[in-house]
Amino acid sequence: MTEGDGARDQQPGVRPVAGFRPNGNGGRKRKGRKGGGAEESMVPDADFKSYYGRPVLKPPVWEWMVPAYLLTGGLSAGAALIAVGADLTGRPALCRSCRIGSFGALLASSYLLIGDLGRPLRFHHMMRVAKPTSPMSMGTWILMSYGPGCSLAGMAECLPKAWRTRGTLGAVVKWTARVSGISAAVIAPALASYTAVLLADTAVPAWHEAYRELPFVFTGSAAASGAGLAMVCAPVSEAAPARRLAVVGAAIEIAAALRIDHKPEFELTTYTHGEPHHLRKISEYLTIGGALVAVTLARRSRIAAVLGGLALLAGSGFQRFGTFEAGVESTKDPIYVVKPQRERLDARRREQAEQAERAAEQGEQ
């Protein structure tokens, strides 16, 4: 090994690639200067320890409040959609339970979001800017647009029954709740999916590389959790639409999650190992079990409907926490940052070399 090679290997911040040795020859034997002999490198295999043992990326500073916010926001959106369908098809008990549940989940979601800010009392500063290229800014305005309609519809259902059903006041309350519920339902799909865009827009490898699948995971999870809430709170006779939505939402969530597991990108292996894998497997079992109960026993048994709904709610929660933990894990080990970067760099260099060869061949012709 020459002096230049040693200097290059000791440069701060230069990271070796997995499977390669830092001798400038890829860990392979290289021919000697005479006699065609071979020279075995005595340098040990490179690892992915970063400079001074520090991670390449800083792990997200978010705590448990953020995945809990992801859960409650999706739950509120899913329940709001079911409430509108129940209102328009004459299912008052289902409509009332979903409106109140959606409003309650919105309050919890707002508390979790504001509580996780560095300075919670300054949350209103987020409304000073509307930046279409920022998922955080757009998410703030989505939540602000969704909140009034969801809140009015939920508060209308909390009024005394006489106020909601009798005379002119009852008609006004019913009309206000219906219009408010429809306005919330129009924005509900954006609320259910924007959090996935928010995660994927970060530099966290596991979230960024799953940017195509995460919106489907979160939207399907939101639909399944909203349906689970309806199965728990509404009578069996009115919960048929919720049971059907539970199956559709569970199918979308599981299909998108499995697609993430089987993608070849190295960064996504955090989803299939360790604590994130354990959480997501529990989510998969609970969600599939809840969907199966929804199409079988829950059609006749109130107890089965409650158990199936709770399984769907729990499955959605485990899915959000598992996705969150997968992103955190991908920032702790430098291999999830360095190895993909080196692979992309090598691919770019090969492409440039091929283009140069083609240009040379065309020049000779």
Side-chain angles (χ1 to χ4, degrees):
M1 185 170 63
T2 65
E3 182 180 354
D5 289 333
R8 182 175 61 253
D9 296 335
Q10 295 172 6
Q11 288 178 0
V14 175
R15 300 295 308 134
V17 183
F20 286 78
R21 300 178 188 273
N23 61 354
N25 197 33
R28 300 182 297 272
K29 294 180 179 180
R30 53 184 180 183
K31 294 182 179 180
R33 296 180 179 177
K34 296 181 180 180
E39 179 180 18
E40 184 76 32
S41 173
M42 301 303 293
V43 180
D45 288 338
D47 56 20
F48 282 91
K49 292 181 180 178
S50 59
Y51 192 56
Y52 282 115
R54 295 179 179 273
V56 177
L57 294 176
K58 290 184 177 180
V61 297
W62 299 330
E63 298 180 353
W64 66 269
M65 284 187 171
V66 169
Y69 159 71
L70 302 179
L71 169 64
T72 53
L75 172 60
S76 179
L81 286 171
I82 298 175
V84 168
D87 182 32
L88 297 178
T89 56
R91 293 178 168 86
L94 177 62
C95 176
R96 185 167 189 266
S97 60
C98 286
R99 280 177 175 172
I100 295 176
S102 178
F103 178 47
L106 175 65
L107 292 178
S109 178
S110 301
Y111 167 77
L112 293 167
L113 178 62
I114 295 173
D116 190 68
L117 296 175
R119 296 185 178 181
L121 295 179
R122 297 187 178 184
F123 74 95
H124 58 279
H125 289 188
M126 300 174 66
M127 295 178 288
R128 295 170 57 185
V129 178
K131 189 176 181 181
T133 57
S134 170
M136 178 67 76
S137 177
M138 289 296 97
T140 300
W141 286 102
I142 288 172
L143 190 61
M144 293 302 301
S145 302
Y146 170 84
C150 176
S151 300
L152 284 175
M155 288 188 293
E157 296 295 342
C158 296
L159 295 174
K161 186 176 181 179
W163 293 15
R164 294 183 286 108
T165 58
R166 297 178 185 175
T168 303
L169 178 60
V172 172
V173 170
K174 182 178 180 180
W175 180 85
T176 302
R178 173 168 292 183
V179 173
S180 300
I182 292 175
S183 69
V186 170
I187 307 172
L191 178 65
S193 58
Y194 99 88
T195 49
V197 179
L198 176 63
L199 296 183
D201 194 55
T202 65
V204 176
W207 295 340
H208 183 71
E209 291 301 324
Y211 70 94
R212 289 189 179 91
E213 292 79 18
L214 279 183
F216 292 97
V217 173
F218 280 23
T219 302
S221 179
S225 62
L229 176 68
M231 291 169 58
V232 170
C233 299
V236 173
S237 58
E238 294 189 9
R243 293 193 294 268
R244 289 191 289 268
L245 183 62
V247 176
V248 174
I252 294 173
E253 176 187 351
I254 296 299
L258 291 177
R259 180 174 171 82
I260 292 176
D261 293 345
H262 291 87
K263 289 185 72 174
E265 282 78 359
F266 177 76
E267 304 93 311
L268 300 178
T269 56
T270 52
Y271 289 95
T272 57
H273 295 83
E275 186 66 16
H277 176 67
H278 181 63
L279 294 173
R280 294 175 75 245
K281 271 300 177 184
I282 295 176
S283 169
E284 182 179 336
Y285 296 145
L286 288 171
T287 302
I288 293 176
L292 290 176
V293 170
V295 297
T296 54
L297 302 177
R299 300 170 63 183
R300 297 179 178 84
S301 171
R302 175 67 180 149
I303 296 177
V306 172
L307 293 177
L310 291 176
L312 290 169
L313 287 168
S316 180
F318 278 104
Q319 180 68 254
R320 307 305 175 102
F321 276 86
T323 301
F324 178 78
E325 289 298 327
V328 173
E329 288 298 321
S330 70
T331 63
K332 293 180 179 179
D333 193 336
I335 192 174
Y336 294 108
V337 179
V338 177
K339 185 175 186 293
Q341 287 181 344
R342 291 296 177 87
E343 290 177 346
R344 288 191 290 266
L345 179 60
D346 292 341
R348 189 179 306 116
R349 287 174 175 172
R350 287 194 298 268
E351 182 180 357
Q352 292 174 352
E354 292 174 357
Q355 292 177 353
E357 289 179 0
R358 288 194 297 267
E361 291 176 357
Q362 293 177 356
E364 291 178 356
Q365 294 176 357

